[in-house]
Amino acid sequence: MNIIRIHKGRDIRLPGSAERKKVSLALPSTVAVQPFDFYGLRLRPVVKAGDSVKVGSPLLEHKDDRRVKIVSPASGTVAGIMRGEKRSLSAVTVLCDGKQDALSFPKISAAEIKNFSPDSLVERMLVAGVWPCLRQRPFSKIADPGRRPKAIFVQAHMTDPLSPDLDFVLEGREARFHQGLEILKRLTPGNVFVCCSPAARSRAIREAKGVSVVGFAGPHPAGNISTFIHHLDPVGKGDLVWYIGAEDVCRVADLILEGRFIPRRTIAVTGEGAPARFYGETILGAPLRHLFPGPQPAGLRYISGSVLRGTDAGLDGYVCFYDQQVTALPQGGNREFLGWIRPGGNKYSFSRTFFSSFPRRAAAPVSLDTGMHGSRRAIVLPHLYDDYVALDVLTYFLVRAITAGDMEEALRLGLLECAQEDFALCSFACASKFDVGRVIQQGLTRLEKEGEE
Amino acid sequence: MTFLARKLQSLGRHFSAGSPLAKFYPVYEALDTFFFTPGTRTPQAPFIRDSLDLKRVMTFVVISLLPCLAAGVYNTGYQVLLARGEDIRFLACVGQGLLKVLPIMLVAYAAGGFWEVLFAVVRKHEISEGFLVTGLLCTLIMPPTVPLWQVAAGVSFGVVIGKEIFGGTGYNVFNPALVSRAFLFFSYPARFSGDRVWVAVDGVSRATPLAVLSAAGHGGQAVSALREAGYSFSNMFWGFIPGCIGETSKFACLLGLVFLLVTGVASWRIVAGCGLGLLVTSSFLFLLRGPEALAFFSLPPHWHLVMGGFAFGAVFMATDPVSSCATNPGRWVFGLMTGALVVLIRVFNPAYPEGVMLAILFMNAFAPLIDHCVVGRHIKKRSARLKVFQGKAG
């Protein structure tokens, strides 16, 4: 295994990581598919409330390319089509009947994979709705089935706070994972990179054949997709790469070999506020209440995803399509007397302006909450950012180019290689409480729009 | 504590939207968040945030300036007693010093605070903590004899023209405190240069060490000229010399520097660059010393460090993260050139014996250009790297 060492960045060690045990959860009573998860698709529903659906029945389709569809992870009846602001589609919910009847699709044996053309494999993935598992860079949107990437990256390592150990998630699914890699290899003329932790022990990763297995050592964001791509095969203008989560690789193999859409999803239940912390085996689109059963303490924020890049789903919300973790984070916002001058022996900070910074106690987890700890100001300390980005970009100048609307300059500064989550640590560290990632996302959205015109 | 929190909350009603005082909400907000950290929560990811905020950063800069303020107060009084020929007692020095410095400080804060509040109210943004630093910096770079109305005029000019018209703290091109001083320096030169302004006693004239050397002309030994005027390395280092209020004690600057570097608030690259630039340039001149050359050439390079406002400027003014460079290589260049310019202005410009203020302002103007060059190089490097990967694929 090649190892790439990341020096920039920082691990934030929170209390409440998931215990290494997998718990098979009962089927939830409802599941939801949320269009907001599928960045880059313009979706419209193809079912109406009351329709009965099977696992793999299409619920939504992409207006611009009707072959791309989002399918139901459960069998049952469509409970409702929810609309949010300006009547935008916010969710399609399905009432589960508990049978998990699945649509069946044509299947092929593992040995036959290499006889099938890439186009026919893509066709099968589209029909059965596993296609959205593949996303592309630049712009982090659902892959375009009409193009082939110069490389495919498999994410088998995450470094967000409390993130699941994907090595552990893959345990017991080695064969499927390897078969999935065989399929992916057919889809690109270039490399398939499996990006993992340097400590990865599972046979799934150790014994992967015909792909480049690369370990990413170092602190967060060593486990971000952008970091993998930047160090292995960066994207410039006109380039295209795809990426996919390790568990979704198994899903692709399940479909091609078994002819069924298997909605299985392992989710790490984490966070200081979670009464029980474990790896829950459930299905896509499960409600958060399903993962936090029983009475819940008050004063928590329920996040689908990690504290750095997740979505505030709420206890009544649903896990987002790509998320493999849910976090219960204590709510903050306690007002502290003369906070600007207190020595702060118990405050967490990347800076050295608190007593807690001396000596650096790297090992002990620190409890953090949703408090902002300050007011919004103009950026005064621009040099703070670059220490926490694992890409070769000048963050402050990139932000400046985007806010000034100078997209040419932003492009030259490497905006195409970036994603919102790569700057989460910058937003965390910023003394002016400036949301760097959000500006980067605005820049990417604008660039994409201008590219289309 | 809860009593205070309740009082503030009930006070807040008068400033809420629709109330007669709604316009002055920024004033209430500043008062409220002075006592209690704001209770806002993160609206979206990242859901957790660092405990550091700008209030703390600015407070730490103010703390780092306190040794200079203390030394400045003491020395101002000390110079007065010395000039009057009175007994030098600690408390008398402090008392005399406070009499001179306190009014200047109050006026600087009042003028700076007034403009800050006015702009916050008119432009509807929160009051930025930047004026806490600017007010103190302005005080410390004034001669002790400065008339108070000039302090008010200078701070007003610095805050409004140097900062607010660009959009406030974080958007300024020049260091506002230096803009104040430059404005006063060129408007009222008699009050900001010469021999009569450094000791707060009427009619007493004492040349600063830099003025002594500036007047020494060609030939001659710099160190002995200084000794004759009563200046040694040690009294310049400890700060028992006439000069601007905060600049005299290099020891106090050093304490401030240590605090800024340990807490990581100031960029060590800029300070190191300034020191190195100054030493290299003055060493070069030192090698060229001789009977024909200016007496200034014969000054040992390390003496430059303790003379004039260099230490104060390098530690507290050049390191302003907003008006200096934002890239690390740029910071080195910025520092090196500032240090070199200080020596050049000191030695070769007969009109201004001190060059720190002008050197930093000049480099402030050049900081964006330096950054532009660094960014340009970065872009070239990036595209070269991308080409390597694209070449492999093709």
Side-chain angles (χ1 to χ4, degrees):
Chain A
M1 186 197 302
N2 283 331
I3 304 262
I4 291 178
R5 192 159 289 282
I6 303 299
H7 296 282
K8 288 177 173 180
R10 193 76 81 82
D11 280 327
I12 301 174
R13 290 175 47 84
L14 298 179
S17 56
E19 259 180 79
R20 284 176 74 89
K21 63 171 186 206
K22 286 182 187 163
V23 176
S24 273
L25 298 174
L27 210 61
S29 54
T30 54
V31 290
V33 163
Q34 303 171 93
F36 187 75
D37 298 346
F38 305 98
Y39 182 73
L41 298 187
R42 302 197 306 132
L43 294 167
R44 75 166 147 238
V46 293
V47 289
K48 40 186 201 303
D51 285 2
S52 65
V53 290
K54 290 181 173 181
V55 178
S57 305
L59 297 179
L60 301 161
E61 67 178 18
H62 184 27
K63 287 180 191 169
D64 301 340
D65 182 349
R66 295 178 57 185
R67 294 179 300 162
V68 179
K69 52 191 74 148
I70 313 294
V71 299
S72 172
S75 66
T77 46
V78 175
I81 293 167
M82 318 289 176
R83 292 191 181 269
E85 270 173 47
K86 296 185 191 161
R87 286 194 47 77
S88 67
L89 205 55
S90 69
V92 176
T93 50
V94 173
L95 212 57
C96 304
D97 60 11
K99 295 183 201 141
Q100 287 301 79
D101 291 333
L103 288 187
S104 63
F105 301 97
K107 55 185 162 184
I108 57 182
S109 72
E112 282 179 306
I113 290 170
K114 53 183 174 299
N115 303 332
F116 279 79
S117 72
D119 286 342
S120 64
L121 290 172
V122 168
E123 211 53 50
R124 279 160 194 259
M125 290 167 71
L126 282 166
V127 168
V130 297
W131 185 256
C133 294
L134 277 167
R135 285 179 288 175
Q136 69 166 58
R137 284 293 171 86
F139 304 125
S140 314
K141 53 184 182 180
I142 311 294
D144 176 357
R147 294 175 70 191
R148 294 292 166 266
K150 66 168 182 168
I152 298 180
F153 293 82
V154 175
Q155 183 173 33
H157 183 31
M158 292 175 107
T159 47
D160 283 63
L162 305 177
S163 58
D165 179 358
L166 297 183
D167 202 32
F168 176 62
V169 169
L170 286 177
E171 247 173 46
R173 301 164 79 178
E174 290 80 5
R176 274 283 180 268
F177 185 67
H178 293 157
Q179 287 154 352
L181 293 178
E182 287 300 319
I183 296 162
L184 293 180
K185 266 156 59 184
R186 303 281 299 137
L187 302 184
T188 172
N191 267 319
V192 173
F193 294 100
V194 175
C195 305
C196 60
S197 153
R201 291 280 166 270
S202 71
R203 276 176 39 238
I205 287 164
R206 289 271 155 184
E207 294 173 11
K209 301 243 163 37
V211 295
S212 307
V213 178
V214 186
F216 279 78
H220 183 71
N224 275 15
I225 288 290
S226 310
T227 312
F228 305 152
I229 299 174
H230 177 78
H231 286 90
L232 295 171
D233 200 356
V235 284
K237 221 175 170 177
D239 287 338
L240 177 73
V241 301
W242 288 353
Y243 63 98
I244 182 169
E247 203 181 27
D248 289 342
V249 173
C250 303
R251 197 181 324 283
V252 169
D254 284 337
L255 169 79
I256 299 283
L257 300 168
E258 282 188 40
R260 282 194 305 139
F261 177 85
I262 297 190
R264 173 176 175 180
R265 173 66 97 198
T266 310
I267 289 172
V269 181
T270 67
E272 206 183 341
R277 297 183 274 262
F278 53 91
Y279 286 79
E281 305 235 337
T282 178
I283 62 173
L284 290 166
L288 265 78
R289 208 176 272 286
H290 189 58
L291 296 155
F292 296 103
Q296 291 294 311
L300 293 175
R301 181 174 290 185
Y302 295 92
I303 300 164
S304 167
S306 78
V307 291
L308 288 181
R309 71 169 98 179
T311 315
D312 181 2
L315 198 52
D316 295 323
Y318 297 87
V319 181
C320 298
F321 186 80
Y322 298 101
D323 288 338
Q324 301 174 59
Q325 155 185 28
V326 288
T327 312
L329 183 70
Q331 287 281 25
N334 296 330
R335 306 201 60 185
E336 196 189 26
F337 186 62
L338 299 183
W340 46 273
I341 191 73
R342 291 203 159 194
N346 53 353
K347 296 286 190 61
Y348 185 73
S349 173
F350 286 174
S351 72
R352 299 191 299 257
T353 55
F354 294 88
F355 269 150
S356 57
S357 322
F358 307 97
R360 290 221 175 273
R361 283 166 299 183
V366 279
S367 172
L368 292 180
D369 57 35
T370 62
M372 199 65 144
H373 306 303
S375 324
R376 174 80 182 80
R377 292 285 181 270
I379 298 175
V380 167
L381 303 172
H383 58 280
L384 234 52
Y385 298 149
D386 283 340
D387 291 345
Y388 307 115
V389 182
L391 314 173
D392 180 28
V393 293
L394 296 172
T395 311
Y396 173 65
F397 291 91
L398 190 55
V399 166
R400 239 169 56 167
I402 293 169
T403 20
D406 187 352
M407 287 296 129
E408 286 292 315
E409 178 79 352
L411 209 55
R412 283 194 292 269
L413 286 165
L415 181 57
L416 284 181
E417 289 196 55
C418 302
Q420 178 165 6
E421 70 249 22
D422 302 326
F423 299 87
L425 285 180
C426 300
S427 309
F428 174 85
C430 185
S432 305
K433 308 298 169 189
F434 187 82
D435 195 341
V436 182
R438 203 164 166 211
V439 171
I440 300 290
Q441 187 53 52
Q442 284 163 0
L444 284 166
T445 309
R446 178 163 175 190
L447 198 64
E448 202 188 342
K449 225 178 185 172
E450 285 178 7
E452 278 170 8
E453 277 158 14
Chain B
M1 239 60 89
T2 47
F3 168 74
L4 187 61
R6 269 205 309 274
K7 274 272 168 254
L8 278 170
Q9 209 163 24
S10 67
L11 193 65
R13 278 184 296 126
H14 303 295
F15 294 92
S16 58
S19 310
L21 289 172
K23 257 188 198 157
F24 294 95
Y25 178 76
V27 181
Y28 167 74
E29 196 276 342
L31 186 76
D32 187 40
T33 56
F34 170 85
F35 284 113
F36 295 98
T37 53
T40 41
R41 291 170 176 171
T42 50
Q44 71 255 325
F47 292 106
I48 50 174
R49 297 300 180 104
D50 200 291
S51 303
L52 178 69
D53 68 347
L54 209 61
K55 262 194 187 56
R56 194 169 181 93
V57 173
M58 293 301 183
T59 308
F60 273 43
V61 180
V62 169
I63 293 175
S64 75
L65 282 164
L66 292 181
C68 283
L69 179 65
V73 166
Y74 179 81
N75 183 51
T76 303
Y78 173 80
Q79 295 297 334
V80 168
L81 295 182
L82 201 65
R84 287 188 192 150
E86 288 174 22
D87 270 358
I88 302 214
R89 283 190 319 268
F90 179 78
L91 283 180
C93 287
V94 173
Q96 283 294 333
L98 282 177
L99 274 180
K100 297 290 169 199
V101 177
L102 218 50
I104 298 179
M105 199 162 107
L106 289 177
V107 170
Y109 270 130
F114 168 76
W115 289 110
E116 191 67 48
V117 169
L118 184 70
F119 273 84
V121 167
V122 171
R123 305 201 58 203
K124 299 186 176 59
H125 61 66
E126 293 181 2
I127 294 174
S128 173
E129 299 77 12
F131 86 97
L132 295 175
V133 174
T134 308
L136 191 51
L137 279 176
C138 280
T139 310
L140 295 177
I141 54 178
M142 296 290 167
T145 59
V146 66
L148 294 179
W149 68 268
Q150 285 185 6
V151 176
V155 171
S156 301
F157 185 86
V159 170
V160 175
I161 304 294
K163 189 172 82 177
E164 295 295 353
I165 60 165
F166 293 103
T169 307
Y171 302 106
N172 45 307
V173 182
F174 297 100
N175 184 315
L178 282 178
V179 172
S180 308
R181 194 176 192 282
F183 169 75
L184 294 172
F185 181 82
F186 289 111
S187 306
Y188 313 104
R191 282 294 186 178
F192 277 79
S193 50
D195 300 343
R196 295 181 158 270
V197 300
W198 309 113
V199 178
V201 180
D202 279 343
V204 172
S205 107
R206 258 195 96 184
T208 60
L210 285 169
V212 169
L213 288 187
S214 202
H218 290 261
Q221 270 298 315
V223 173
S224 54
L226 284 174
R227 288 248 156 81
E228 261 169 52
Y231 296 122
S232 67
F233 188 88
S234 98
N235 68 13
M236 288 195 287
F237 175 77
W238 295 106
F240 300 110
I241 54 168
C244 292
I245 295 167
E247 67 166 16
T248 51
S249 174
K250 314 310 174 301
F251 177 70
C253 296
L254 210 58
L255 286 181
L257 175 66
V258 169
F259 183 77
L260 287 178
L261 293 187
V262 167
T263 53
V265 171
S267 162
W268 63 271
R269 291 182 180 86
I270 292 178
V271 184
C274 282
L276 212 63
L278 178 109
L279 288 174
V280 168
T281 315
S282 54
S283 302
F284 183 68
L285 296 182
F286 189 65
L287 292 176
L288 297 178
R289 71 190 184 280
E292 311 281 277
L294 286 168
F296 230 134
F297 282 28
S298 67
L299 188 72
H302 62 281
W303 282 57
H304 269 286
L305 287 175
V306 297
M307 291 176 71
F310 172 76
F312 190 83
V315 174
F316 301 110
M317 309 283 224
T319 52
D320 174 4
V322 176
S323 57
S324 64
C325 288
T327 55
N328 283 338
R331 291 203 175 96
W332 274 111
V333 176
F334 179 91
L336 286 167
M337 289 178 71
T338 306
L341 260 180
V342 167
V343 178
L344 294 183
I345 298 174
R346 277 180 181 178
V347 175
F348 293 108
N349 192 329
Y352 314 124
E354 176 55 293
V356 179
M357 171 185 83
L358 296 169
I360 295 176
L361 282 175
F362 190 73
M363 290 312 297
N364 280 170
F366 273 87
L369 182 64
I370 298 171
D371 275 341
H372 181 78
C373 296
V374 175
V375 171
R377 222 185 46 168
H378 167 82
I379 288 172
K380 273 208 190 95
K381 218 179 72 195
R382 278 192 67 83
S383 71
R385 180 171 181 266
L386 268 177
K387 279 216 181 75
V388 170
F389 279 96
Q390 285 173 334
K392 259 194 228 159

